[in-house]
Amino acid sequence: MTNPLLQPWTGAFALPPFAEIRDADFAPAFEAALAEARAHVAAIAGSSQPASFANTIEALELAEETLDRVSAVFFNLAGAESTPEREALQRDLAPKLAAFASEVTMNAGLFARIEALWAARDTLGLNAEQARVLELYRRMFVRAGAALDAAGRARMATVKERLAVLSTAFTQNLLADERDWALPLAETDLVGLPEFVVATAKAAAEERGAEGHMLTLNRSLVVPFLQFSPRRDLRETAYAAWVARGENGGATDNRAIATEILALREERAKLLGYESFAAYKLEPEMAKTPEAVRDLLMRVWEPAKARAETDAAVLTAMMHADGINGDLEAWDWRYYAEKRRLAEHELDEGELKPYFGLETMIEAAFDCAARLFGLAFRPLDVALYHPDARAWEVTRGGNHVAVFIGDYFARASKRSGAWCSSFRSQRKLGAEQRPVVVNVCNFAKPARGEPALLSWDDARTLFHEFGHALHAMLSDVTYGFIAGTSVARDFVELPSQLYEHWLDVPEVLDRFARHARTGAPIPAALRDRLLAASTYDQGFATVEYVASALVDLAFHDGTAPADPMAVQADILAGIGMPHAIRMRHATPHFAHVFAGDGYSSGYYSYMWSEVMDADAFEAFRESGDAFDPATARRLEANILSAGGSREAEDLYTAFRGRMPGVEPLLKGRGLLDEIASERA
C-alpha cells in the first residue's frame, strides 16, 4: 500500500488526506522523509559548484519539504488529538529529529558555504528579503553551534537530543495529569452553580462516558467552578488538583525533568560563550538583555501588586462577612471577585454568557477581518482530523488566500491551552504556496442539544488566536523561513493581542453579542457595564502573570538551580507575592517554558508585545475609526504580511512611526492610578 503522507495531496486545496492517514503511516513516512532530507542536504554541502544564494540558501529552503509536510501533520495531531500510539512515536521521534537538526546546522561543509556567502554578501546583488534570509540562516547556524570545534559540536548535539526527550516527557506528563483527574459531582454539589456551569459539567461527564456531572481540569470548566461554587471545600479540592499538575509524584512528576532541562540549557549557552541561557536566548529578541526584561516586569509589578493587595483586603472582608474567618486563600479569590463584580458592576456571568455564543464570536472575528482586510470566509465540507474541527476557505477579491481550521472544544486527547499552528506555511519560492492555518482552543463543549457559550475571557482567547491566524494567513514573502509568525518571540504576540481590541469595540458587540436562545442583541446597559469593567481584577491577572515571567527569567539568568521549586519560592517571597495569588503557571506545569524552547526565558514576551498592542490600537483610535482602511493597510503591509523580513523594531516603527512607552499598557490594565499614588 502507498503511504498517504508521502503521496501528492491532490484533494481540495491540497489538504492532508486525514481520512486516509493511519497512525501506522507516520513512522515509515518520517523514515523516508528524513532519508530524503539527508540526501538533499548532503548534495548541497558537497556541491562542487561555488556557493550561491540559489544553490545554498534557496536549496536549503526546499531540502526538507517532505519532512516539513509530514511533521506538520503529525505534531498538530499529537497536540490536538493525541493517542497512545502517537505519544509513543513522539517519544521515539524527539531525539531523532533533534539529531537531524544538529546534523544540518553543524554540517561543516554547509556552514562553510554559508560563511562564504556572508563574507561576499555585499557583492551578491541580493534584494532586501534575500539579505535578511541570509543573515538569519547564518545566525541560526552560529547559535546552533556550527562554529564550535568538533568536541563542542558533538556535545551540543547530545544536549539538544536530551532536551528534546525531556520536553516531550514534560508535555506528555502534563497531558496525563490533566486527562486522568476528574471529580464526580453529586446533585448537592451543583447547588449555587449557574446553569451553564452545570451544563458544562454534564458535558464533561458525557465526554468521559459517565453519567451525571463531572469536574475536570479543563480551564473552561474549573475556572467557572472556582468562580461560582459556594462550596469552599470543593473549591479547595479542585484548585489543589489544578495547581498540582506535574507535581503529583510518580511517573508523571515533572520536577526532576525541569531541573535537568535548566541545567542542559545553561550548558548549551555556555558552550556558545554566553554567561547564561537568558543572555543567549534574548540576544536576537527585541528585549536583547535580561536586564531590559526585568526592568519592564518590575515597572508593572509594583502597581499591580499594590492593586492586588487593595483588592485582597476587600475580598477578605467579604469572606469574613460570610462567617469564614482566617486568610483569603487562592481558592477563594475567584469566588469573591465574582461576587464583588456583581455588586460593583452589576455583571452576572450567568446573565452575560448567553450573549457570547461560539458561533456568533467566530462570526464576529471573521467580520472584523472582512472590514479590516477585505477577507471572506466560506465553510468547507472536507474531511479533517476530528469531527469537532471545521474549515473555511479564506479569499480576498475572489482570490484564494488560505484555508483556516478551527478546533474549539476541549477533550481528553487534547493538550490544554489555546494555540495557533499551520499544516502548511506561505511561501513563493518554487511555486506559490498558500497557508493552511489552525486555531486550537479548549472551550467547554456543551451537552447535546445545547448551544456552545463562551465566557468573556474565552471570547478574548478566540480573537487572540485568530490574530495569530491572520499573521500566518496574510503572510506575503518569498521564503518560508521568514513567513507569518516567524518573528522575534517578543513580537509574535503583537498581532494576536492587538486583535483582541476589536472585541471591545461597541459596534462589534452590538452586532454580534446576541442571546444564544432568543437572538436578541446584548442590552446597551449590559454592554456598557461590561466595557466599564474591562480593567476589573487586573491586579490579580497582572500579578499572577508577572510572577510567572519573573520566575522564568530567574531560572535562566545565571546558574541553573539545583532545586527549581526552592528558587521559585525564593523569588516569590522576594517580590512579596500576595498570599492569595499563585503564579499563573507553577514550574511543574509551566508548559510555555519546559515543553520546548519557544518561551523559555521568554514568557515576558506577552507583556513586551502588550506595550506595542496598546499603542498600535491607539493608531486606529486616533483615526476616529476602529476600522480605518488606511491604518489597516499600514498594519497589514508593515506587520501582518511582512513576517520576519525585517527586524521587529523596524517593522513596528514603519507602522507607527516610533516605538511606544509602557504607559499605554498601564492605562489598558487600569494601573495608572497606582503609579500616581506611588509618586504622590
Side-chain angles (χ1 to χ4, degrees):
M1 282 183 68
T2 57
N3 191 318
L5 289 162
L6 299 174
Q7 301 304 307
W9 296 346
T10 58
F13 307 106
L15 289 172
F18 293 109
E20 301 172 23
I21 297 171
R22 302 291 178 265
D23 282 347
D25 295 325
F26 282 113
F30 271 108
E31 184 178 349
L34 279 166
E36 178 186 274
R38 282 191 170 99
H40 289 164
V41 170
I44 297 166
S47 173
S48 60
Q49 298 296 315
S52 69
F53 189 83
N55 69 20
T56 303
I57 301 300
E58 290 187 342
L60 280 173
E61 279 281 284
L62 302 175
E64 299 172 23
E65 191 166 20
T66 302
L67 180 60
D68 289 343
R69 186 173 64 164
V70 174
S71 296
V73 175
F74 177 76
F75 286 105
N76 275 303
L77 267 58
E81 181 60 5
S82 181
T83 65
E85 294 77 14
R86 290 169 190 169
E87 290 183 15
L89 180 56
Q90 194 174 10
R91 292 191 294 271
D92 182 58
L93 282 171
K96 293 180 180 179
L97 293 176
F100 171 71
S102 294
E103 286 177 33
V104 174
T105 54
M106 290 190 279
N107 182 305
L110 201 53
F111 184 54
R113 294 177 73 83
I114 292 172
E115 284 289 78
L117 292 174
W118 181 249
R121 61 190 180 278
D122 293 335
T123 67
L124 299 177
L126 303 179
N127 62 34
E129 186 178 331
Q130 291 171 328
R132 173 68 171 167
V133 169
L134 174 59
E135 176 190 8
L136 292 177
Y137 260 94
R138 181 180 183 273
R139 177 196 290 177
M140 176 179 70
F141 272 70
V142 170
R143 287 172 60 80
L148 296 175
D149 61 21
R153 292 197 302 272
R155 179 57 188 163
M156 181 67 82
T158 299
V159 166
K160 287 182 179 180
E161 287 179 45
R162 181 60 180 162
L163 281 169
V165 170
L166 292 170
S167 295
T168 299
F170 189 99
T171 303
Q172 294 187 353
N173 289 346
L174 182 55
L175 176 60
D177 277 3
E178 291 168 347
R179 181 176 55 217
D180 294 346
W181 189 90
L183 179 67
L185 298 174
E187 289 297 323
T188 54
D189 300 333
L190 305 176
V191 174
L193 295 177
E195 180 185 350
F196 76 86
V197 180
V198 174
T200 302
K202 182 179 180 181
E206 289 177 355
E207 199 263 337
R208 291 175 182 244
E211 297 292 328
H213 300 81
M214 187 172 285
L215 182 62
T216 70
L217 297 182
N218 167 28
R219 185 181 181 89
S220 290
L221 176 53
V222 72
V223 168
F225 186 86
L226 292 169
Q227 285 177 293
F228 294 106
S229 175
R231 289 278 301 277
R232 194 180 192 222
D233 59 330
L234 291 180
R235 295 201 310 267
E236 182 177 2
T237 297
Y239 188 83
W242 194 32
V243 299
R245 292 168 295 157
E247 196 178 353
N248 289 305
T252 62
D253 197 294
N254 275 331
R255 285 171 289 187
I257 292 174
T259 302
E260 188 177 354
I261 286 174
L262 293 172
L264 290 171
R265 284 176 178 165
E266 181 190 9
E267 182 181 359
R268 178 181 172 188
K270 289 190 171 178
L271 279 169
L272 295 170
Y274 292 88
E275 292 183 1
S276 67
F277 184 80
Y280 159 78
K281 186 68 185 297
L282 293 171
E283 184 183 57
E285 310 297 340
M286 295 184 76
K288 302 300 181 189
T289 67
E291 292 74 25
V293 172
R294 190 173 288 105
D295 177 66
L296 170 66
L297 294 174
M298 292 308 298
R299 288 176 68 186
V300 178
W301 172 257
E302 292 302 334
K305 178 186 170 187
R307 171 66 61 84
E309 289 174 337
T310 300
D311 291 342
V314 175
L315 302 183
T316 300
M318 293 173 65
M319 185 179 76
H320 290 172
D322 279 351
I324 302 173
N325 296 319
D327 293 332
L328 183 77
E329 300 292 348
W331 50 90
D332 298 317
W333 189 291
R334 287 177 173 84
Y335 178 71
Y336 284 100
E338 184 63 29
K339 292 182 72 171
R340 183 186 178 194
R341 186 173 77 145
L342 176 60
E344 295 184 1
H345 295 281
E346 299 181 74
L347 281 180
D348 178 354
E349 188 77 11
E351 178 189 10
L352 189 64
K353 198 161 185 174
Y355 291 99
F356 291 92
L358 173 61
E359 299 307 317
T360 53
M361 288 301 99
I362 294 172
E363 190 181 350
F366 287 177
D367 184 73
C368 289
R371 296 180 66 182
L372 288 164
F373 310 114
L375 300 179
F377 298 82
R378 178 178 67 88
L380 294 174
D381 183 13
V382 292
L384 297 172
Y385 59 87
H386 190 276
D388 285 345
R390 42 196 166 143
W392 293 263
E393 182 191 9
V394 186
T395 60
R396 180 156 55 183
N399 297 315
H400 178 74
V401 172
V403 170
F404 173 69
I405 298 171
D407 181 0
Y408 296 109
F409 294 130
R411 51 182 174 266
S413 59
K414 183 190 288 186
R415 66 178 170 88
S416 63
W419 63 93
C420 178
S421 185
S422 294
F423 284 96
R424 184 170 65 238
S425 302
Q426 181 269 331
R427 73 159 194 250
K428 297 177 183 175
L429 182 67
E432 177 77 14
Q433 179 172 284
R434 297 309 307 169
V436 177
V437 182
V438 58
N439 277 178
V440 184
C441 300
N442 270 281
F443 303 142
K445 190 172 184 177
R448 284 189 293 269
E450 296 295 321
L453 303 179
L454 306 183
S455 67
W456 180 241
D457 185 58
D458 287 339
R460 282 200 173 281
T461 296
L462 187 148
F463 268 68
H464 178 102
E465 298 305 334
F466 194 70
H468 280 309
L470 286 172
H471 200 182
M473 293 189 294
L474 291 174
S475 179
D476 186 24
V477 296
T478 299
Y479 301 97
F481 192 65
I482 56 169
T485 58
S486 300
V487 298
R489 178 61 61 180
D490 47 14
F491 192 68
V492 76
E493 297 297 337
L494 169 60
S496 55
Q497 293 177 181
L498 174 59
Y499 204 66
E500 292 179 39
H501 288 272
W502 275 277
L503 183 59
D504 293 332
V505 174
E507 65 182 278
V508 174
L509 291 175
D510 289 344
R511 184 175 176 190
F512 294 102
R514 301 192 299 267
H515 197 282
R517 295 195 181 280
T518 68
I522 189 170
L526 180 58
R527 177 206 67 201
D528 292 344
R529 294 199 304 273
L530 174 64
L531 294 177
S534 62
T535 61
Y536 177 71
D537 213 23
Q538 277 298 307
F540 170 87
T542 307
V543 160
E544 65 164 6
Y545 165 78
V546 174
S548 295
L550 285 168
V551 169
D552 166 41
L553 184 64
F555 280 165
H556 296 98
D557 186 20
T559 302
D563 185 350
M565 299 304 292
V567 170
Q568 173 183 296
D570 289 344
I571 295 297
L572 298 180
I575 61 177
M577 186 74 170
H579 173 76
I581 306 178
R582 306 280 176 86
M583 293 169 61
R584 182 172 298 176
H585 305 289
T587 299
H589 57 262
F590 207 163
H592 280 80
V593 171
F594 293 106
D597 272 354
Y599 284 90
S600 57
S601 197
Y603 191 61
Y604 77 92
S605 59
Y606 290 93
M607 186 152 284
W608 193 276
S609 292
E610 190 176 341
V611 170
M612 291 178 285
D613 81 64
D615 177 68
F617 195 69
E618 281 297 312
F620 286 90
R621 293 188 191 279
E622 291 164 7
S623 76
D625 180 3
F627 296 93
D628 178 60
T631 309
R633 283 194 295 271
R634 290 204 316 275
L635 176 66
E636 180 178 351
N638 294 298
I639 294 176
L640 295 178
S641 71
S645 59
R646 286 176 282 166
E647 290 288 349
E649 186 168 331
D650 295 338
L651 294 172
Y652 189 83
T653 302
F655 165 64
R656 195 71 169 106
R658 52 162 175 74
M659 291 298 294
V662 74
E663 286 73 19
L665 178 151
L666 294 170
K667 178 182 177 183
R669 287 183 174 246
L671 299 175
L672 283 179
D673 290 346
E674 275 65 26
I675 293 287
S677 297
E678 289 176 4
R679 292 173 178 169

